[in-house]
Structures are given as structure tokens and as C-alpha cells.
Amino acid sequence: MRHSEIMQERLRRCVDNEMLMYSTLAYGSMSMAWMYGRFEAGVPPEYFHGKALQAIRANLPQTKSRPDTWLLLSIYAMAITDMWHGIPTMWHSYPTRLAQVDSCLLQSSRTHLKALNALVQQAGGWTDISPYVLESAILADKYLAAFKMKPTVIPVTWDPGPIPPMMYGKSATFGYANLRQSFMNLRIDPRLQDAIQDVVCFVHIAQGLWYSQDALLTAAAEGWLFKRLNALTYRLWLLQLPKGFEDCVRHTVLLFLSSTTHYRGGYMGAAIRVHNLKLAWTESLHWPQDMDQGLYLWCVCTAALTPWPCKDRQWFRTEVRELTSEVATEFLMEHIETQLLRYLYLPDRQEVELQSLVRSLRSSAKNE
């Protein structure tokens, strides 16, 4: 883990830094609550949160000097704790806690992020800030923006560029050569077309790094993957398009990026993006009459393959069933996978969900 050193130092500092101790306890207890349903009897996360806020106010710098890393981490902890507490999706497995969700905390979370960014900007920007602080802030920022349907707070001054240094002079194609093939024939906004091209380039490079058997997947490569993935996510999120099929495509690409990032937070983010896609879908003014049905299937199927169960995912699964109703059940898997590969689809990351979806479709067909 490339941030293990600073994470260990953070824990050591908690011994004599009250602000860091309480903010870390707030962060840790809320994390344990939403991930595993574990709540400390008599000491809720809100208790630590309140104590941390008092300590943070007492430690705010009076000048524009470079802010202390532990102060920045403590403010981030307040932002992420409020965000976790304020998003209902986080608590569906814990009805008692779900009833206590307060959406006002999402605005509080955004306020903390703005304060964090303001401190950093006053000191000269994110360039010299700890990568651990930056990457933590990016994650909170993008998920909060997606849930609130608002622009992100952190400026994208940290995009590492399309090619990582360790890949200079090496081939960036590692299979899936037909990805994006059908996008090239679409008449869509050039900004969206360029963003999709960069996503495909990122996928090829990421595949090469993931399967390099650790020869290339160094801490520096992991850092590049994280920053480039999120720079593309910010770029797509901030891209303003009129309501219609192009905006649905934009949301589907964002969903693809979340769904193929294998960790719990990525799955939760995917559930939020499925909801965003559903909103874009219902607000879409029209789809062109001559639109390739493969694109339509790719959009609904990408949503149907979301790893985190949610109500909106089921709506898209119903759409997939209608779109494939005339395909013989024994050819469903091949038919869907062939269509998805023409756009954006990674079998090694999405095939398990697709197999589950196909089994469900076959079961429904037998019962009709």
C-alpha cells in the first residue's frame, strides 16, 4: 500500500495530537458503522466529530503559511464523516441507522471540503501537499458531487497526463482492440468523443499495468492510475451537454469507470451514478431514430451490471430483458457481450455480473 507510511504516522501522532485523535476516531467509527454495521455502545461517531471540530477551530492557521498535514487530514475526516452519514445508500443494510440519515450533513461535508481547498489554495495549491491528503480529498469530492449533482470543489491541477512515465516507449494496447469502435461512427459532441478516446487509452494502459506481474505496477504507477482515472472522471462530470442521448452516454461512461474500479467505495459510487443515469434517461428529450440499438443496449446493460444492488439497477435490468426478448436464451451471453465490446466493457471486471444478469434473464424467460 503506497500510503502505508503516512497512515502509520497518522496513528502515532494521535497519541499527542487531540485534533487528529478525535478526527481519526470520528472517521474510523463511521467507517466501521457503514461498512460492517459495528457501532460502539454509548460512543457514536457524532461524539468524536464534535470533539474534533472544536480542536480544528483551535488549530486553524492565522496566516497563509503552508497548512499542517494533520490539520488537512482532520478537516478531510470531518468532510467524509458527514458525507457517509448523509447518504442513504450507505445505510440500506442498517435500517435503524438509515432512519437517522440527515441530508443536511451533505452540505456540511461540502463546506468542510471548501474549507480544506481554501487552506490549500492560500498556501499555493495542491502541488506540494501530501499525495495521501490530495487523493483522500479527491474521493470525497467526486462522490459528494455525484450525489448532490453539483460541480466538484477540488480544481484539476493534478492530472498526470495520458501516458505514465514508466510506459514511455511501450505499447499502450493490451487487448480489447475493438473498444470504442462503434463510438467512432457516432455524431456526438467532439469534447465527449475526445474524453471517450482518453478513457479507452487509459483502459489499455491500466490493463497493461494490472497484468505486468508487478514489473511495472509500482507505487508510482498506482499513483498515476489513481490520478488519471479521477482526472477523467472530473472531466466527464464537469462536461456540460444538453439533455439527450449524449448526456446519457456521458453518465454511462462515468458509471463504467466506477463499476470497473474494484473496491467497496467504487461500488457505492457506481450505485450513485446509476441513479444519475436514470435521471438523465428520464429527462432525455429524445434518442435519434437512426441510433444504433447496440448503443442503447450498452447504456442500459452497463447500469444493469452495477455491482451494488439498488432500485435503479433493477429498472435497467427490466430494460435489458425487453431489449433481448427476441434473442434465443442459449445465445444471450454471446449476443450481449458482443454488443458491449463495441463500446466499453471489460470481461475480466464485468463478466461475473453479466453472467448473473444472463442467468436472471433466462430464468425470467422460462417463467413467462
Side-chain angles (χ1 to χ4, degrees):
M1 184 180 292
R2 66 186 186 282
H3 296 310
S4 58
E5 186 174 333
I6 189 173
M7 292 170 72
Q8 290 298 319
E9 181 65 17
R10 177 187 190 176
L11 295 179
R12 286 193 291 269
R13 295 278 184 136
C14 284
V15 175
D16 54 12
N17 186 324
E18 185 180 76
M19 172 191 67
L20 189 61
M21 177 188 71
Y22 280 123
S23 64
T24 301
L25 285 169
Y27 168 93
S29 58
M30 188 65 80
S31 177
M32 293 295 289
W34 79 263
M35 290 183 72
Y36 306 112
R38 291 177 56 181
F39 302 90
E40 293 295 331
V43 190
E46 292 84 354
Y47 170 80
F48 301 121
H49 186 283
K51 289 285 189 178
L53 272 180
Q54 294 175 15
I56 287 171
R57 292 190 184 106
N59 281 274
L60 287 175
Q62 302 302 313
T63 66
K64 293 184 180 180
S65 59
R66 181 178 174 179
D68 177 68
T69 295
W70 312 119
L71 172 62
L72 297 179
L73 273 178
S74 295
I75 297 173
Y76 156 75
M78 297 296 92
I80 197 68
T81 301
D82 281 345
M83 187 190 79
W84 285 338
H85 194 181
I87 296 180
T89 311
M90 316 288 288
W91 304 101
H92 282 169
S93 299
Y94 312 108
T96 302
R97 193 73 188 188
L98 178 60
Q100 301 174 17
V101 167
D102 183 356
S103 60
C104 292
L105 289 172
L106 296 178
Q107 185 54 48
S108 175
S109 175
R110 192 171 176 85
T111 298
H112 291 312
L113 273 178
K114 287 181 176 179
L116 173 62
N117 184 58
L119 281 174
V120 171
Q121 296 304 325
Q122 287 174 10
W126 287 94
T127 304
D128 297 323
I129 300 300
S130 162
Y132 179 55
V133 176
L134 171 60
E135 293 179 20
S136 298
I138 288 170
L139 289 176
D141 190 25
K142 75 170 182 178
Y143 290 136
L144 185 60
F147 191 82
K148 292 290 289 181
M149 298 291 284
K150 289 186 175 181
T152 46
V153 172
I154 309 297
V156 188
T157 56
W158 35 265
D159 184 350
I163 306 292
M166 68 288 303
M167 293 296 294
Y168 289 157
K170 295 182 174 63
S171 172
T173 301
F174 297 90
Y176 311 127
N178 53 346
L179 283 179
R180 185 186 170 264
Q181 180 180 6
S182 293
F183 280 121
M184 297 175 66
N185 300 322
L186 293 178
R187 293 189 299 274
I188 59 177
D189 188 296
R191 296 171 300 164
L192 179 58
Q193 186 75 270
D194 289 345
I196 292 172
Q197 172 61 45
D198 286 347
V199 167
V200 172
C201 180
F202 169 79
V203 168
H204 286 312
I205 292 173
Q207 290 290 105
L209 292 174
W210 288 332
Y211 295 107
S212 65
Q213 298 180 338
D214 296 331
L216 295 174
L217 194 55
T218 60
E222 289 180 355
W224 180 88
L225 286 169
F226 179 92
K227 289 181 180 178
R228 186 57 177 166
L229 168 65
N230 286 289
L232 290 168
T233 298
Y234 271 54
R235 177 176 163 191
L236 284 160
W237 180 251
L238 296 172
L239 180 58
Q240 296 184 347
L241 296 171
K243 294 177 181 178
F245 88 95
E246 288 182 325
D247 202 39
C248 291
V249 169
R250 178 178 71 92
H251 280 288
T252 307
V253 177
L254 281 164
L255 175 55
F256 167 81
L257 290 174
S258 287
S259 296
T260 53
T261 306
H262 282 192
Y263 77 108
R264 192 178 178 91
Y267 295 160
M268 291 295 300
I272 295 171
R273 297 208 185 277
V274 169
H275 180 68
N276 294 345
L277 176 58
K278 174 74 177 303
L279 291 176
W281 205 274
T282 55
E283 293 173 354
S284 178
L285 299 179
H286 69 280
W287 281 67
Q289 293 294 323
D290 59 348
M291 180 58 61
D292 180 5
Q293 283 298 299
L295 176 64
Y296 195 95
L297 178 62
W298 171 73
C299 287
V300 298
C301 202
T302 300
L305 298 181
T306 304
W308 193 272
C310 55
K311 179 176 64 177
D312 294 311
R313 183 182 75 168
Q314 187 55 48
W315 185 87
F316 283 105
R317 289 193 166 200
T318 301
E319 286 290 302
V320 174
R321 185 173 66 217
E322 293 179 3
L323 285 172
T324 59
S325 59
E326 296 183 5
V327 179
T329 56
E330 63 268 29
F331 300 123
L332 267 176
M333 184 74 183
E334 180 182 357
H335 170 77
I336 295 176
E337 195 163 47
T338 298
Q339 294 299 319
L340 296 182
L341 280 168
R342 294 170 55 216
Y343 294 95
L344 285 171
Y345 169 74
L346 292 179
D348 58 327
R349 299 262 165 162
Q350 296 173 283
E351 190 174 54
V352 171
E353 291 296 331
L354 179 56
Q355 290 170 343
S356 175
L357 173 62
V358 169
R359 284 195 296 270
S360 177
L361 293 173
R362 287 170 176 166
S363 177
S364 297
K366 288 180 180 178
N367 296 329
E368 289 179 354

